[in-house]
Short mmCIF file of all heavy atoms in Angstrom, two decimals:
data_model
loop_
_atom_site.label_atom_id
_atom_site.label_comp_id
_atom_site.label_asym_id
_atom_site.label_seq_id
_atom_site.Cartn_x
_atom_site.Cartn_y
_atom_site.Cartn_z
N ALA A 60 131.13 63.07 94.71
CA ALA A 60 129.94 63.90 95.28
C ALA A 60 130.34 65.36 95.49
O ALA A 60 131.53 65.64 95.38
CB ALA A 60 129.48 63.30 96.58
N VAL A 61 129.29 66.16 95.61
CA VAL A 61 129.58 67.56 95.84
C VAL A 61 128.85 67.97 97.14
O VAL A 61 127.89 67.33 97.53
CB VAL A 61 129.04 68.41 94.71
CG1 VAL A 61 129.88 68.23 93.48
CG2 VAL A 61 127.59 68.20 94.42
N ILE A 62 129.38 68.94 97.85
CA ILE A 62 128.80 69.46 99.02
C ILE A 62 128.32 70.90 98.81
O ILE A 62 129.05 71.76 98.35
CB ILE A 62 129.79 69.45 100.19
CG1 ILE A 62 130.23 67.93 100.41
CG2 ILE A 62 129.25 70.04 101.43
CD1 ILE A 62 131.37 67.86 101.43
N PHE A 63 127.03 71.08 99.17
CA PHE A 63 126.42 72.44 99.12
C PHE A 63 125.96 72.80 100.51
O PHE A 63 125.47 71.99 101.26
CB PHE A 63 125.18 72.46 98.16
CG PHE A 63 125.49 72.38 96.76
CD1 PHE A 63 125.67 71.20 96.12
CD2 PHE A 63 125.70 73.58 96.07
CE1 PHE A 63 125.92 71.10 94.72
CE2 PHE A 63 125.91 73.52 94.66
CZ PHE A 63 126.07 72.28 94.01
N LYS A 64 126.07 74.07 100.84
CA LYS A 64 125.48 74.65 102.02
C LYS A 64 124.04 74.87 101.71
O LYS A 64 123.65 75.42 100.71
CB LYS A 64 126.20 75.95 102.40
CG LYS A 64 125.65 76.60 103.66
CD LYS A 64 126.41 77.87 103.97
CE LYS A 64 125.87 78.55 105.24
NZ LYS A 64 126.56 79.79 105.52
N ILE A 65 123.12 74.47 102.73
CA ILE A 65 121.71 74.70 102.56
C ILE A 65 121.40 75.96 103.27
O ILE A 65 121.60 76.12 104.50
CB ILE A 65 120.96 73.46 103.16
CG1 ILE A 65 121.40 72.14 102.56
CG2 ILE A 65 119.41 73.72 103.02
CD1 ILE A 65 120.80 70.94 103.19
N VAL A 66 120.80 76.86 102.59
CA VAL A 66 120.36 78.18 103.10
C VAL A 66 118.93 78.30 103.02
O VAL A 66 118.32 78.24 101.88
CB VAL A 66 121.02 79.36 102.34
CG1 VAL A 66 120.64 80.69 102.94
CG2 VAL A 66 122.58 79.16 102.43
N GLU A 67 118.22 78.41 104.13
CA GLU A 67 116.78 78.54 104.19
C GLU A 67 116.35 79.88 103.82
O GLU A 67 116.67 80.92 104.58
CB GLU A 67 116.22 78.09 105.58
CG GLU A 67 114.73 78.06 105.59
CD GLU A 67 114.18 77.60 106.94
OE1 GLU A 67 114.74 76.72 107.54
OE2 GLU A 67 113.22 78.26 107.42
N LYS A 68 115.62 80.08 102.72
CA LYS A 68 115.15 81.45 102.34
C LYS A 68 113.90 81.74 102.92
O LYS A 68 113.69 82.93 103.32
CB LYS A 68 115.08 81.50 100.77
CG LYS A 68 116.40 81.44 100.09
CD LYS A 68 117.24 82.69 100.57
CE LYS A 68 118.61 82.68 99.96
NZ LYS A 68 119.46 83.73 100.48
N ASP A 69 113.01 80.82 103.07
CA ASP A 69 111.71 80.97 103.79
C ASP A 69 111.28 79.55 104.21
O ASP A 69 112.04 78.56 103.95
CB ASP A 69 110.65 81.78 102.99
CG ASP A 69 110.38 81.05 101.62
OD1 ASP A 69 110.15 79.81 101.57
OD2 ASP A 69 110.37 81.79 100.67
N GLU A 70 110.09 79.42 104.72
CA GLU A 70 109.68 78.12 105.26
C GLU A 70 109.54 77.08 104.19
O GLU A 70 109.60 75.94 104.46
CB GLU A 70 108.30 78.29 105.97
CG GLU A 70 108.42 78.94 107.23
CD GLU A 70 107.04 79.05 107.98
OE1 GLU A 70 106.22 78.16 107.73
OE2 GLU A 70 106.93 79.93 108.85
N GLU A 71 109.45 77.47 102.91
CA GLU A 71 109.18 76.56 101.86
C GLU A 71 110.35 76.45 100.85
O GLU A 71 110.39 75.61 100.02
CB GLU A 71 107.89 76.86 101.11
CG GLU A 71 106.68 76.76 101.90
CD GLU A 71 105.48 77.20 101.07
OE1 GLU A 71 105.53 77.34 99.89
OE2 GLU A 71 104.36 77.38 101.75
N THR A 72 111.33 77.30 100.97
CA THR A 72 112.39 77.41 100.02
C THR A 72 113.76 77.28 100.60
O THR A 72 114.13 78.08 101.54
CB THR A 72 112.31 78.75 99.14
OG1 THR A 72 111.00 78.93 98.72
CG2 THR A 72 113.28 78.76 98.03
N ASP A 73 114.51 76.40 100.10
CA ASP A 73 115.99 76.27 100.45
C ASP A 73 116.77 76.51 99.25
O ASP A 73 116.38 76.21 98.09
CB ASP A 73 116.27 74.80 100.99
CG ASP A 73 115.72 74.53 102.31
OD1 ASP A 73 115.51 75.44 103.14
OD2 ASP A 73 115.50 73.34 102.58
N GLU A 74 117.95 77.19 99.44
CA GLU A 74 118.90 77.37 98.32
C GLU A 74 120.13 76.55 98.66
O GLU A 74 120.43 76.41 99.80
CB GLU A 74 119.17 78.85 98.17
CG GLU A 74 118.03 79.59 97.55
CD GLU A 74 118.41 81.13 97.20
OE1 GLU A 74 119.60 81.44 97.35
OE2 GLU A 74 117.54 81.83 96.76
N PHE A 75 120.84 76.16 97.62
CA PHE A 75 121.99 75.38 97.78
C PHE A 75 123.14 76.21 97.27
O PHE A 75 123.21 76.48 96.03
CB PHE A 75 121.89 74.08 97.02
CG PHE A 75 120.89 73.16 97.60
CD1 PHE A 75 119.58 73.31 97.44
CD2 PHE A 75 121.35 72.06 98.44
CE1 PHE A 75 118.60 72.43 98.02
CE2 PHE A 75 120.44 71.19 98.95
CZ PHE A 75 119.06 71.42 98.83
N GLU A 76 124.08 76.58 98.15
CA GLU A 76 125.25 77.29 97.81
C GLU A 76 126.48 76.48 97.71
O GLU A 76 126.78 75.69 98.67
CB GLU A 76 125.46 78.50 98.78
CG GLU A 76 124.34 79.43 98.82
CD GLU A 76 124.53 80.54 99.85
OE1 GLU A 76 125.56 80.48 100.64
OE2 GLU A 76 123.66 81.50 99.92
N PRO A 77 127.26 76.55 96.70
CA PRO A 77 128.52 75.79 96.64
C PRO A 77 129.44 76.15 97.72
O PRO A 77 129.53 77.31 98.18
CB PRO A 77 129.18 76.18 95.24
CG PRO A 77 128.07 76.91 94.48
CD PRO A 77 127.05 77.38 95.48
N VAL A 78 130.15 75.15 98.27
CA VAL A 78 131.09 75.44 99.35
C VAL A 78 132.46 75.36 98.70
O VAL A 78 132.89 74.46 98.06
CB VAL A 78 131.03 74.28 100.39
CG1 VAL A 78 132.07 74.54 101.50
CG2 VAL A 78 129.61 74.26 101.01
N THR A 79 133.26 76.49 98.90
CA THR A 79 134.57 76.59 98.31
C THR A 79 135.71 76.50 99.33
O THR A 79 136.85 76.31 98.98
CB THR A 79 134.74 77.87 97.51
OG1 THR A 79 134.42 78.99 98.41
CG2 THR A 79 133.74 77.94 96.34
N ASP A 80 135.39 76.68 100.67
CA ASP A 80 136.34 76.62 101.68
C ASP A 80 136.74 75.11 101.97
O ASP A 80 135.99 74.30 102.37
CB ASP A 80 135.76 77.20 102.97
CG ASP A 80 136.77 77.30 104.14
OD1 ASP A 80 137.57 76.30 104.27
OD2 ASP A 80 136.76 78.29 104.81
N GLU A 81 138.07 74.86 101.55
CA GLU A 81 138.51 73.52 101.68
C GLU A 81 138.42 72.91 103.06
O GLU A 81 138.13 71.69 103.28
CB GLU A 81 139.95 73.38 101.12
CG GLU A 81 140.09 73.61 99.63
CD GLU A 81 139.54 72.37 98.90
OE1 GLU A 81 139.56 71.27 99.31
OE2 GLU A 81 138.96 72.66 97.77
N SER A 82 138.62 73.72 104.07
CA SER A 82 138.56 73.21 105.44
C SER A 82 137.10 72.84 105.79
O SER A 82 136.92 71.82 106.46
CB SER A 82 139.13 74.23 106.46
OG SER A 82 138.35 75.42 106.49
N ILE A 83 136.21 73.57 105.37
CA ILE A 83 134.71 73.24 105.60
C ILE A 83 134.38 71.92 104.81
O ILE A 83 133.73 71.07 105.39
CB ILE A 83 133.84 74.39 105.29
CG1 ILE A 83 134.05 75.50 106.30
CG2 ILE A 83 132.39 73.89 105.29
CD1 ILE A 83 133.23 76.75 106.05
N LEU A 84 134.81 71.90 103.58
CA LEU A 84 134.48 70.74 102.72
C LEU A 84 135.05 69.47 103.46
O LEU A 84 134.32 68.43 103.59
CB LEU A 84 135.10 70.85 101.35
CG LEU A 84 134.46 71.88 100.36
CD1 LEU A 84 135.31 72.04 99.19
CD2 LEU A 84 133.11 71.29 100.01
N GLU A 85 136.31 69.49 103.88
CA GLU A 85 136.93 68.38 104.47
C GLU A 85 136.25 68.04 105.86
O GLU A 85 135.96 66.87 106.13
CB GLU A 85 138.36 68.71 104.78
CG GLU A 85 139.20 67.52 105.26
CD GLU A 85 140.73 67.79 105.47
OE1 GLU A 85 141.18 68.61 104.74
OE2 GLU A 85 141.27 67.04 106.29
N ALA A 86 135.88 69.04 106.63
CA ALA A 86 135.25 68.73 107.90
C ALA A 86 133.84 68.09 107.71
O ALA A 86 133.53 67.19 108.43
CB ALA A 86 135.17 69.99 108.74
N VAL A 87 133.08 68.64 106.79
CA VAL A 87 131.71 68.18 106.47
C VAL A 87 131.82 66.70 105.99
O VAL A 87 131.05 65.84 106.40
CB VAL A 87 131.00 69.10 105.53
CG1 VAL A 87 129.70 68.38 105.04
CG2 VAL A 87 130.68 70.40 106.25
N PHE A 88 132.74 66.49 105.05
CA PHE A 88 132.91 65.17 104.53
C PHE A 88 133.34 64.17 105.51
O PHE A 88 132.86 62.96 105.58
CB PHE A 88 133.87 65.14 103.26
CG PHE A 88 133.83 63.86 102.60
CD1 PHE A 88 132.72 63.50 101.83
CD2 PHE A 88 134.96 63.02 102.56
CE1 PHE A 88 132.70 62.27 101.16
CE2 PHE A 88 134.98 61.82 101.85
CZ PHE A 88 133.82 61.46 101.19
N ASN A 89 134.21 64.59 106.46
CA ASN A 89 134.69 63.72 107.53
C ASN A 89 133.53 63.35 108.45
O ASN A 89 133.48 62.21 108.95
CB ASN A 89 135.86 64.32 108.29
CG ASN A 89 137.14 64.25 107.54
OD1 ASN A 89 137.29 63.38 106.67
ND2 ASN A 89 138.04 65.16 107.85
N GLU A 90 132.64 64.32 108.68
CA GLU A 90 131.42 64.00 109.58
C GLU A 90 130.53 62.92 108.78
O GLU A 90 130.10 61.95 109.46
CB GLU A 90 130.64 65.23 109.81
CG GLU A 90 131.26 66.26 110.80
CD GLU A 90 131.41 65.71 112.17
OE1 GLU A 90 130.47 65.03 112.67
OE2 GLU A 90 132.45 65.75 112.73
N TYR A 91 130.44 63.07 107.55
CA TYR A 91 129.66 62.09 106.73
C TYR A 91 130.31 60.68 106.81
O TYR A 91 129.69 59.69 107.10
CB TYR A 91 129.54 62.56 105.26
CG TYR A 91 129.18 61.39 104.38
CD1 TYR A 91 127.83 60.94 104.39
CD2 TYR A 91 130.06 60.79 103.54
CE1 TYR A 91 127.50 59.82 103.61
CE2 TYR A 91 129.76 59.75 102.77
CZ TYR A 91 128.43 59.25 102.74
OH TYR A 91 128.06 58.17 101.99
N LEU A 92 131.65 60.64 106.64
CA LEU A 92 132.37 59.42 106.78
C LEU A 92 132.21 58.72 108.10
O LEU A 92 132.06 57.53 108.19
CB LEU A 92 133.82 59.57 106.44
CG LEU A 92 134.15 59.97 104.99
CD1 LEU A 92 135.62 60.19 104.78
CD2 LEU A 92 133.64 58.92 104.03
N LYS A 93 132.26 59.53 109.18
CA LYS A 93 132.09 58.94 110.55
C LYS A 93 130.68 58.32 110.69
O LYS A 93 130.51 57.26 111.20
CB LYS A 93 132.27 60.01 111.56
CG LYS A 93 133.78 60.36 111.79
CD LYS A 93 133.93 61.14 113.13
CE LYS A 93 133.35 62.50 112.97
NZ LYS A 93 133.63 63.48 114.14
N ALA A 94 129.64 59.06 110.14
CA ALA A 94 128.27 58.58 110.28
C ALA A 94 128.11 57.27 109.41
O ALA A 94 127.51 56.36 109.87
CB ALA A 94 127.28 59.60 109.80
N GLU A 95 128.72 57.32 108.29
CA GLU A 95 128.61 56.15 107.36
C GLU A 95 129.26 54.92 108.00
O GLU A 95 128.72 53.86 107.98
CB GLU A 95 129.27 56.50 106.04
CG GLU A 95 129.11 55.44 105.00
CD GLU A 95 127.73 55.39 104.33
OE1 GLU A 95 126.92 56.27 104.59
OE2 GLU A 95 127.50 54.44 103.58
N ALA A 96 130.36 55.12 108.67
CA ALA A 96 131.07 54.08 109.33
C ALA A 96 130.23 53.54 110.53
O ALA A 96 130.16 52.31 110.71
CB ALA A 96 132.50 54.55 109.81
N GLU A 97 129.63 54.45 111.25
CA GLU A 97 128.86 54.03 112.45
C GLU A 97 127.67 53.27 111.95
O GLU A 97 127.32 52.23 112.56
CB GLU A 97 128.39 55.26 113.20
CG GLU A 97 129.51 55.85 114.04
CD GLU A 97 129.07 57.14 114.62
OE1 GLU A 97 127.82 57.43 114.81
OE2 GLU A 97 129.93 57.95 115.05
N PHE A 98 127.01 53.70 110.84
CA PHE A 98 125.80 53.01 110.37
C PHE A 98 126.28 51.59 109.83
O PHE A 98 125.50 50.67 109.98
CB PHE A 98 125.17 53.77 109.24
CG PHE A 98 123.92 53.20 108.74
CD1 PHE A 98 122.82 53.03 109.66
CD2 PHE A 98 123.72 52.81 107.46
CE1 PHE A 98 121.63 52.39 109.20
CE2 PHE A 98 122.57 52.24 107.00
CZ PHE A 98 121.53 52.07 107.89
N ALA A 99 127.41 51.51 109.15
CA ALA A 99 127.83 50.17 108.64
C ALA A 99 128.05 49.20 109.77
O ALA A 99 127.82 48.09 109.72
CB ALA A 99 129.14 50.37 107.82
N ASP A 100 128.64 49.81 110.90
CA ASP A 100 128.88 48.93 112.09
C ASP A 100 127.55 48.38 112.71
O ASP A 100 127.51 47.28 113.21
CB ASP A 100 129.56 49.69 113.21
CG ASP A 100 131.05 49.94 112.79
OD1 ASP A 100 131.61 49.26 111.82
OD2 ASP A 100 131.70 50.84 113.45
N GLU A 101 126.45 49.17 112.57
CA GLU A 101 125.17 48.73 113.11
C GLU A 101 124.54 47.66 112.17
O GLU A 101 123.68 46.90 112.64
CB GLU A 101 124.23 49.94 113.14
CG GLU A 101 124.67 50.96 114.17
CD GLU A 101 123.76 52.23 114.15
OE1 GLU A 101 122.78 52.23 113.42
OE2 GLU A 101 124.18 53.16 114.78
N CYS A 102 124.98 47.57 110.96
CA CYS A 102 124.36 46.61 110.00
C CYS A 102 125.13 45.27 110.09
O CYS A 102 126.34 45.25 109.90
CB CYS A 102 124.47 47.23 108.62
SG CYS A 102 123.89 46.12 107.31
N ASP A 103 124.44 44.24 110.31
CA ASP A 103 125.03 42.94 110.45
C ASP A 103 125.64 42.47 109.16
O ASP A 103 126.57 41.69 109.11
CB ASP A 103 124.04 41.93 110.89
CG ASP A 103 123.58 42.07 112.32
OD1 ASP A 103 124.32 42.74 113.10
OD2 ASP A 103 122.48 41.62 112.69
N CYS A 104 125.17 42.93 108.00
CA CYS A 104 125.64 42.47 106.77
C CYS A 104 126.69 43.34 106.11
O CYS A 104 127.28 43.06 105.12
CB CYS A 104 124.49 42.27 105.78
SG CYS A 104 123.74 43.81 105.28
N GLY A 105 126.89 44.57 106.65
CA GLY A 105 127.87 45.52 106.17
C GLY A 105 127.41 46.23 104.92
O GLY A 105 128.22 46.78 104.22
N CYS A 106 126.17 46.24 104.57
CA CYS A 106 125.63 46.72 103.37
C CYS A 106 125.10 48.13 103.50
O CYS A 106 124.36 48.56 102.69
CB CYS A 106 124.54 45.72 102.80
SG CYS A 106 123.71 46.33 101.36
N HIS A 107 125.42 48.88 104.32
CA HIS A 107 125.08 50.22 104.83
C HIS A 107 124.33 51.14 103.92
O HIS A 107 124.28 52.32 104.27
CB HIS A 107 126.23 50.86 105.49
CG HIS A 107 127.36 51.08 104.49
ND1 HIS A 107 128.25 50.07 104.23
CD2 HIS A 107 127.77 52.13 103.81
CE1 HIS A 107 129.15 50.51 103.42
NE2 HIS A 107 128.88 51.78 103.13
N HIS A 108 123.81 50.79 102.81
CA HIS A 108 123.05 51.67 101.98
C HIS A 108 121.60 51.28 101.78
O HIS A 108 121.05 51.02 100.73
CB HIS A 108 123.68 51.76 100.57
CG HIS A 108 125.01 52.39 100.54
ND1 HIS A 108 125.10 53.76 100.82
CD2 HIS A 108 126.25 51.95 100.48
CE1 HIS A 108 126.41 54.04 100.75
NE2 HIS A 108 127.05 52.99 100.54
N HIS A 109 120.84 51.09 102.94
CA HIS A 109 119.52 50.64 102.83
C HIS A 109 118.77 50.98 104.11
O HIS A 109 119.35 51.32 105.14
CB HIS A 109 119.41 49.17 102.52
CG HIS A 109 120.19 48.31 103.44
ND1 HIS A 109 121.55 48.06 103.32
CD2 HIS A 109 119.83 47.73 104.66
CE1 HIS A 109 121.93 47.33 104.30
NE2 HIS A 109 120.96 47.08 105.18
N ASP A 110 117.52 50.75 104.05
CA ASP A 110 116.63 51.04 105.22
C ASP A 110 116.34 49.67 105.94
O ASP A 110 115.70 48.84 105.32
CB ASP A 110 115.30 51.60 104.77
CG ASP A 110 114.35 51.95 105.87
OD1 ASP A 110 114.76 51.75 107.06
OD2 ASP A 110 113.19 52.31 105.63
#
Side-chain angles (χ1 to χ4, degrees):
V61 292
I62 296 173
F63 285 90
K64 181 178 179 182
I65 303 171
V66 179
E67 185 178 317
K68 291 299 178 185
D69 58 48
E70 288 185 25
E71 297 178 12
T72 308
D73 289 334
E74 288 189 3
F75 291 77
E76 297 178 352
V78 178
T79 56
D80 184 321
E81 289 293 324
S82 64
I83 291 176
L84 287 170
E85 186 175 334
V87 168
F88 190 67
N89 284 335
E90 288 297 314
Y91 163 74
L92 291 176
K93 285 192 293 187
E95 187 76 8
E97 287 174 16
F98 185 61
D100 288 343
E101 293 171 8
C102 177
D103 291 338
C104 68
C106 173
H107 60 279
H108 290 291
H109 55 273
D110 179 9

